[in-house]
mmCIF file of all heavy atoms in Angstrom:
data_model
loop_
_atom_site.group_PDB
_atom_site.id
_atom_site.type_symbol
_atom_site.label_atom_id
_atom_site.label_comp_id
_atom_site.label_asym_id
_atom_site.label_seq_id
_atom_site.Cartn_x
_atom_site.Cartn_y
_atom_site.Cartn_z
ATOM 1 N N GLU A 25 11.964 4.099 15.844
ATOM 2 C CA GLU A 25 12.289 4.403 14.449
ATOM 3 C C GLU A 25 12.778 3.181 13.676
ATOM 4 O O GLU A 25 12.927 3.240 12.443
ATOM 5 C CB GLU A 25 13.335 5.517 14.369
ATOM 6 C CG GLU A 25 14.759 5.126 14.810
ATOM 7 C CD GLU A 25 15.002 5.255 16.310
ATOM 8 O OE1 GLU A 25 14.013 5.294 17.065
ATOM 9 O OE2 GLU A 25 16.172 5.313 16.712
ATOM 10 N N LEU A 26 13.028 2.069 14.383
ATOM 11 C CA LEU A 26 13.505 0.853 13.730
ATOM 12 C C LEU A 26 12.350 -0.121 13.536
ATOM 13 O O LEU A 26 11.636 -0.441 14.485
ATOM 14 C CB LEU A 26 14.597 0.181 14.559
ATOM 15 C CG LEU A 26 15.893 0.969 14.783
ATOM 16 C CD1 LEU A 26 16.834 0.177 15.683
ATOM 17 C CD2 LEU A 26 16.563 1.301 13.464
ATOM 18 N N SER A 27 12.181 -0.607 12.319
ATOM 19 C CA SER A 27 11.148 -1.613 12.058
ATOM 20 C C SER A 27 11.632 -2.972 12.538
ATOM 21 O O SER A 27 12.832 -3.205 12.717
ATOM 22 C CB SER A 27 10.838 -1.671 10.556
ATOM 23 O OG SER A 27 11.924 -2.246 9.852
ATOM 24 N N ARG A 28 10.679 -3.896 12.743
ATOM 25 C CA ARG A 28 11.056 -5.246 13.172
ATOM 26 C C ARG A 28 11.935 -5.918 12.116
ATOM 27 O O ARG A 28 12.856 -6.673 12.437
ATOM 28 C CB ARG A 28 9.795 -6.073 13.426
ATOM 29 C CG ARG A 28 8.980 -5.614 14.619
ATOM 30 C CD ARG A 28 9.696 -5.879 15.938
ATOM 31 N NE ARG A 28 9.770 -7.296 16.245
ATOM 32 C CZ ARG A 28 8.825 -7.969 16.889
ATOM 33 N NH1 ARG A 28 7.740 -7.348 17.309
ATOM 34 N NH2 ARG A 28 8.980 -9.253 17.148
ATOM 35 N N THR A 29 11.640 -5.650 10.843
ATOM 36 C CA THR A 29 12.446 -6.220 9.750
ATOM 37 C C THR A 29 13.875 -5.728 9.826
ATOM 38 O O THR A 29 14.836 -6.495 9.705
ATOM 39 C CB THR A 29 11.839 -5.844 8.390
ATOM 40 O OG1 THR A 29 10.493 -6.303 8.336
ATOM 41 C CG2 THR A 29 12.630 -6.479 7.249
ATOM 42 N N MET A 30 14.028 -4.404 10.052
ATOM 43 C CA MET A 30 15.376 -3.841 10.122
ATOM 44 C C MET A 30 16.115 -4.357 11.359
ATOM 45 O O MET A 30 17.318 -4.666 11.285
ATOM 46 C CB MET A 30 15.319 -2.312 10.145
ATOM 47 C CG MET A 30 16.695 -1.669 10.236
ATOM 48 S SD MET A 30 16.641 0.138 10.181
ATOM 49 C CE MET A 30 16.362 0.386 8.435
ATOM 50 N N ILE A 31 15.426 -4.480 12.489
ATOM 51 C CA ILE A 31 16.062 -4.986 13.714
ATOM 52 C C ILE A 31 16.622 -6.383 13.494
ATOM 53 O O ILE A 31 17.755 -6.685 13.867
ATOM 54 C CB ILE A 31 15.054 -4.975 14.885
ATOM 55 C CG1 ILE A 31 14.732 -3.534 15.287
ATOM 56 C CG2 ILE A 31 15.601 -5.763 16.079
ATOM 57 C CD1 ILE A 31 13.560 -3.408 16.232
ATOM 58 N N LYS A 32 15.826 -7.235 12.848
ATOM 59 C CA LYS A 32 16.275 -8.602 12.574
ATOM 60 C C LYS A 32 17.542 -8.594 11.705
ATOM 61 O O LYS A 32 18.506 -9.322 11.976
ATOM 62 C CB LYS A 32 15.160 -9.379 11.873
ATOM 63 C CG LYS A 32 15.449 -10.855 11.644
ATOM 64 C CD LYS A 32 14.207 -11.555 11.103
ATOM 65 C CE LYS A 32 14.424 -13.057 10.952
ATOM 66 N NZ LYS A 32 15.352 -13.398 9.881
ATOM 67 N N LYS A 33 17.547 -7.728 10.678
ATOM 68 C CA LYS A 33 18.716 -7.638 9.793
ATOM 69 C C LYS A 33 19.939 -7.138 10.550
ATOM 70 O O LYS A 33 21.051 -7.647 10.361
ATOM 71 C CB LYS A 33 18.410 -6.697 8.621
ATOM 72 C CG LYS A 33 17.439 -7.264 7.600
ATOM 73 C CD LYS A 33 17.174 -6.245 6.504
ATOM 74 C CE LYS A 33 16.172 -6.771 5.474
ATOM 75 N NZ LYS A 33 15.846 -5.737 4.457
ATOM 76 N N LEU A 34 19.740 -6.141 11.422
ATOM 77 C CA LEU A 34 20.860 -5.576 12.167
ATOM 78 C C LEU A 34 21.446 -6.590 13.153
ATOM 79 O O LEU A 34 22.659 -6.654 13.335
ATOM 80 C CB LEU A 34 20.405 -4.319 12.920
ATOM 81 C CG LEU A 34 20.082 -3.097 12.056
ATOM 82 C CD1 LEU A 34 19.490 -1.983 12.910
ATOM 83 C CD2 LEU A 34 21.315 -2.597 11.311
ATOM 84 N N ILE A 35 20.585 -7.393 13.775
ATOM 85 C CA ILE A 35 21.079 -8.434 14.698
ATOM 86 C C ILE A 35 21.858 -9.488 13.924
ATOM 87 O O ILE A 35 22.960 -9.903 14.332
ATOM 88 C CB ILE A 35 19.902 -9.071 15.469
ATOM 89 C CG1 ILE A 35 19.270 -8.056 16.423
ATOM 90 C CG2 ILE A 35 20.376 -10.306 16.255
ATOM 91 C CD1 ILE A 35 17.996 -8.536 17.090
ATOM 92 N N GLU A 36 21.305 -9.924 12.802
ATOM 93 C CA GLU A 36 21.955 -10.991 12.025
ATOM 94 C C GLU A 36 23.253 -10.536 11.372
ATOM 95 O O GLU A 36 24.134 -11.350 11.087
ATOM 96 C CB GLU A 36 20.979 -11.505 10.964
ATOM 97 C CG GLU A 36 19.802 -12.283 11.570
ATOM 98 C CD GLU A 36 18.757 -12.680 10.551
ATOM 99 O OE1 GLU A 36 18.812 -12.148 9.410
ATOM 100 O OE2 GLU A 36 17.891 -13.507 10.884
ATOM 101 N N SER A 37 23.390 -9.216 11.122
ATOM 102 C CA SER A 37 24.620 -8.699 10.507
ATOM 103 C C SER A 37 25.612 -8.183 11.550
ATOM 104 O O SER A 37 26.606 -7.535 11.206
ATOM 105 C CB SER A 37 24.277 -7.569 9.528
ATOM 106 O OG SER A 37 23.655 -6.491 10.212
ATOM 107 N N ASN A 38 25.329 -8.480 12.841
ATOM 108 C CA ASN A 38 26.197 -8.076 13.953
ATOM 109 C C ASN A 38 26.309 -6.562 14.122
ATOM 110 O O ASN A 38 27.313 -6.059 14.654
ATOM 111 C CB ASN A 38 27.606 -8.686 13.809
ATOM 112 C CG ASN A 38 27.579 -10.194 13.890
ATOM 113 O OD1 ASN A 38 26.738 -10.768 14.585
ATOM 114 N ND2 ASN A 38 28.483 -10.847 13.177
ATOM 115 N N ASN A 39 25.296 -5.841 13.683
ATOM 116 C CA ASN A 39 25.241 -4.398 13.918
ATOM 117 C C ASN A 39 24.563 -4.090 15.251
ATOM 118 O O ASN A 39 24.570 -2.950 15.701
ATOM 119 C CB ASN A 39 24.513 -3.680 12.783
ATOM 120 C CG ASN A 39 25.316 -3.645 11.511
ATOM 121 O OD1 ASN A 39 25.122 -4.437 10.600
ATOM 122 N ND2 ASN A 39 26.255 -2.709 11.445
ATOM 123 N N ILE A 40 23.955 -5.101 15.841
ATOM 124 C CA ILE A 40 23.440 -4.985 17.204
ATOM 125 C C ILE A 40 24.195 -6.007 18.062
ATOM 126 O O ILE A 40 24.161 -7.210 17.771
ATOM 127 C CB ILE A 40 21.923 -5.237 17.278
ATOM 128 C CG1 ILE A 40 21.168 -4.106 16.566
ATOM 129 C CG2 ILE A 40 21.462 -5.346 18.723
ATOM 130 C CD1 ILE A 40 19.659 -4.269 16.567
ATOM 131 N N LEU A 41 24.881 -5.512 19.083
ATOM 132 C CA LEU A 41 25.689 -6.369 19.938
ATOM 133 C C LEU A 41 25.221 -6.256 21.385
ATOM 134 O O LEU A 41 24.738 -5.197 21.813
ATOM 135 C CB LEU A 41 27.167 -5.974 19.859
ATOM 136 C CG LEU A 41 27.831 -6.068 18.471
ATOM 137 C CD1 LEU A 41 29.260 -5.550 18.554
ATOM 138 C CD2 LEU A 41 27.799 -7.502 17.937
ATOM 139 N N VAL A 42 25.369 -7.341 22.116
ATOM 140 C CA VAL A 42 25.057 -7.366 23.548
ATOM 141 C C VAL A 42 26.359 -7.609 24.299
ATOM 142 O O VAL A 42 26.990 -8.656 24.124
ATOM 143 C CB VAL A 42 24.035 -8.468 23.883
ATOM 144 C CG1 VAL A 42 23.718 -8.448 25.380
ATOM 145 C CG2 VAL A 42 22.763 -8.298 23.063
ATOM 146 N N ASN A 43 26.780 -6.611 25.082
ATOM 147 C CA ASN A 43 28.057 -6.697 25.808
ATOM 148 C C ASN A 43 29.203 -7.004 24.849
ATOM 149 O O ASN A 43 30.072 -7.849 25.109
ATOM 150 C CB ASN A 43 27.981 -7.752 26.919
ATOM 151 C CG ASN A 43 26.852 -7.476 27.899
ATOM 152 O OD1 ASN A 43 26.609 -6.329 28.265
ATOM 153 N ND2 ASN A 43 26.143 -8.528 28.301
ATOM 154 N N ASP A 44 29.135 -6.309 23.681
ATOM 155 C CA ASP A 44 30.154 -6.439 22.622
ATOM 156 C C ASP A 44 30.194 -7.816 21.986
ATOM 157 O O ASP A 44 31.177 -8.184 21.322
ATOM 158 C CB ASP A 44 31.559 -6.091 23.157
ATOM 159 C CG ASP A 44 31.665 -4.637 23.575
ATOM 160 O OD1 ASP A 44 31.046 -3.786 22.904
ATOM 161 O OD2 ASP A 44 32.333 -4.344 24.581
ATOM 162 N N LYS A 45 29.146 -8.605 22.157
ATOM 163 C CA LYS A 45 29.073 -9.926 21.534
ATOM 164 C C LYS A 45 27.820 -10.025 20.672
ATOM 165 O O LYS A 45 26.789 -9.416 20.984
ATOM 166 C CB LYS A 45 29.031 -11.031 22.606
ATOM 167 C CG LYS A 45 30.276 -11.138 23.461
ATOM 168 C CD LYS A 45 30.096 -12.246 24.487
ATOM 169 C CE LYS A 45 31.315 -12.355 25.401
ATOM 170 N NZ LYS A 45 31.122 -13.413 26.430
ATOM 171 N N SER A 46 27.882 -10.812 19.608
ATOM 172 C CA SER A 46 26.707 -11.052 18.773
ATOM 173 C C SER A 46 25.788 -12.049 19.463
ATOM 174 O O SER A 46 26.259 -12.983 20.117
ATOM 175 C CB SER A 46 27.128 -11.574 17.396
ATOM 176 O OG SER A 46 27.809 -12.807 17.522
ATOM 177 N N GLU A 47 24.484 -11.820 19.345
ATOM 178 C CA GLU A 47 23.489 -12.711 19.929
ATOM 179 C C GLU A 47 22.392 -12.984 18.906
ATOM 180 O O GLU A 47 22.254 -12.253 17.914
ATOM 181 C CB GLU A 47 22.868 -12.100 21.194
ATOM 182 C CG GLU A 47 23.838 -11.893 22.337
ATOM 183 C CD GLU A 47 24.259 -13.193 23.026
ATOM 184 O OE1 GLU A 47 23.744 -14.264 22.647
ATOM 185 O OE2 GLU A 47 25.103 -13.120 23.942
ATOM 186 N N LYS A 48 21.606 -14.026 19.147
ATOM 187 C CA LYS A 48 20.490 -14.348 18.274
ATOM 188 C C LYS A 48 19.310 -13.416 18.559
ATOM 189 O O LYS A 48 19.231 -12.797 19.625
ATOM 190 C CB LYS A 48 20.067 -15.801 18.461
ATOM 191 C CG LYS A 48 21.113 -16.808 18.012
ATOM 192 C CD LYS A 48 20.599 -18.234 18.191
ATOM 193 C CE LYS A 48 21.638 -19.248 17.709
ATOM 194 N NZ LYS A 48 21.167 -20.646 17.877
ATOM 195 N N VAL A 49 18.397 -13.370 17.604
ATOM 196 C CA VAL A 49 17.186 -12.563 17.750
ATOM 197 C C VAL A 49 16.424 -12.965 19.011
ATOM 198 O O VAL A 49 15.841 -12.127 19.703
ATOM 199 C CB VAL A 49 16.286 -12.731 16.501
ATOM 200 C CG1 VAL A 49 14.941 -12.074 16.709
ATOM 201 C CG2 VAL A 49 16.969 -12.160 15.266
ATOM 202 N N SER A 50 16.444 -14.254 19.316
ATOM 203 C CA SER A 50 15.656 -14.793 20.435
ATOM 204 C C SER A 50 16.355 -14.664 21.793
ATOM 205 O O SER A 50 15.812 -15.087 22.814
ATOM 206 C CB SER A 50 15.339 -16.264 20.181
ATOM 207 O OG SER A 50 16.536 -17.019 20.026
ATOM 208 N N TYR A 51 17.547 -14.076 21.814
ATOM 209 C CA TYR A 51 18.283 -13.916 23.087
ATOM 210 C C TYR A 51 17.433 -13.157 24.099
ATOM 211 O O TYR A 51 16.789 -12.157 23.782
ATOM 212 C CB TYR A 51 19.593 -13.165 22.833
ATOM 213 C CG TYR A 51 20.315 -12.723 24.097
ATOM 214 C CD1 TYR A 51 21.073 -13.614 24.836
ATOM 215 C CD2 TYR A 51 20.209 -11.408 24.550
ATOM 216 C CE1 TYR A 51 21.732 -13.207 26.002
ATOM 217 C CE2 TYR A 51 20.857 -10.986 25.707
ATOM 218 C CZ TYR A 51 21.612 -11.890 26.423
ATOM 219 O OH TYR A 51 22.250 -11.487 27.569
ATOM 220 N N LYS A 52 17.404 -13.658 25.355
ATOM 221 C CA LYS A 52 16.663 -13.003 26.430
ATOM 222 C C LYS A 52 17.599 -12.016 27.142
ATOM 223 O O LYS A 52 18.626 -12.427 27.708
ATOM 224 C CB LYS A 52 16.142 -14.032 27.429
ATOM 225 C CG LYS A 52 15.193 -15.078 26.839
ATOM 226 C CD LYS A 52 13.894 -14.465 26.361
ATOM 227 C CE LYS A 52 12.818 -15.523 26.117
ATOM 228 N NZ LYS A 52 13.196 -16.583 25.200
ATOM 229 N N VAL A 53 17.243 -10.736 27.083
ATOM 230 C CA VAL A 53 18.106 -9.718 27.675
ATOM 231 C C VAL A 53 18.116 -9.851 29.198
ATOM 232 O O VAL A 53 17.140 -10.292 29.805
ATOM 233 C CB VAL A 53 17.670 -8.296 27.265
ATOM 234 C CG1 VAL A 53 17.725 -8.128 25.760
ATOM 235 C CG2 VAL A 53 16.281 -7.955 27.777
ATOM 236 N N GLN A 54 19.244 -9.439 29.763
ATOM 237 C CA GLN A 54 19.421 -9.508 31.212
ATOM 238 C C GLN A 54 19.660 -8.103 31.774
ATOM 239 O O GLN A 54 20.106 -7.202 31.049
ATOM 240 C CB GLN A 54 20.621 -10.416 31.562
ATOM 241 C CG GLN A 54 20.491 -11.835 31.049
ATOM 242 C CD GLN A 54 19.273 -12.553 31.612
ATOM 243 O OE1 GLN A 54 19.022 -12.512 32.824
ATOM 244 N NE2 GLN A 54 18.509 -13.201 30.751
ATOM 245 N N ALA A 55 19.364 -7.919 33.024
ATOM 246 C CA ALA A 55 19.602 -6.623 33.659
ATOM 247 C C ALA A 55 21.073 -6.240 33.517
ATOM 248 O O ALA A 55 21.965 -7.079 33.654
ATOM 249 C CB ALA A 55 19.201 -6.682 35.131
ATOM 250 N N ASN A 56 21.295 -4.961 33.166
ATOM 251 C CA ASN A 56 22.637 -4.371 32.998
ATOM 252 C C ASN A 56 23.330 -4.793 31.706
ATOM 253 O O ASN A 56 24.510 -4.448 31.508
ATOM 254 C CB ASN A 56 23.538 -4.672 34.201
ATOM 255 C CG ASN A 56 22.985 -4.075 35.485
ATOM 256 O OD1 ASN A 56 22.548 -2.930 35.491
ATOM 257 N ND2 ASN A 56 22.985 -4.862 36.558
ATOM 258 N N ASP A 57 22.638 -5.555 30.852
ATOM 259 C CA ASP A 57 23.214 -5.798 29.516
ATOM 260 C C ASP A 57 23.452 -4.468 28.820
ATOM 261 O O ASP A 57 22.601 -3.568 28.844
ATOM 262 C CB ASP A 57 22.255 -6.639 28.665
ATOM 263 C CG ASP A 57 22.433 -8.131 28.876
ATOM 264 O OD1 ASP A 57 23.398 -8.517 29.551
ATOM 265 O OD2 ASP A 57 21.601 -8.905 28.354
#
Side-chain angles (χ1 to χ4, degrees):
E25 71 274 19
L26 297 177
S27 71
R28 292 291 290 273
T29 303
M30 179 177 283
I31 291 169
K32 185 173 184 290
K33 288 178 181 176
L34 290 173
I35 293 172
E36 291 174 347
S37 62
N38 296 328
N39 288 99
I40 292 179
L41 299 176
V42 181
N43 303 320
D44 295 324
K45 296 179 182 178
S46 62
E47 296 287 357
K48 294 182 179 180
V49 172
S50 59
Y51 170 79
K52 300 294 195 305
V53 300
Q54 301 300 313
N56 298 316
D57 274 351

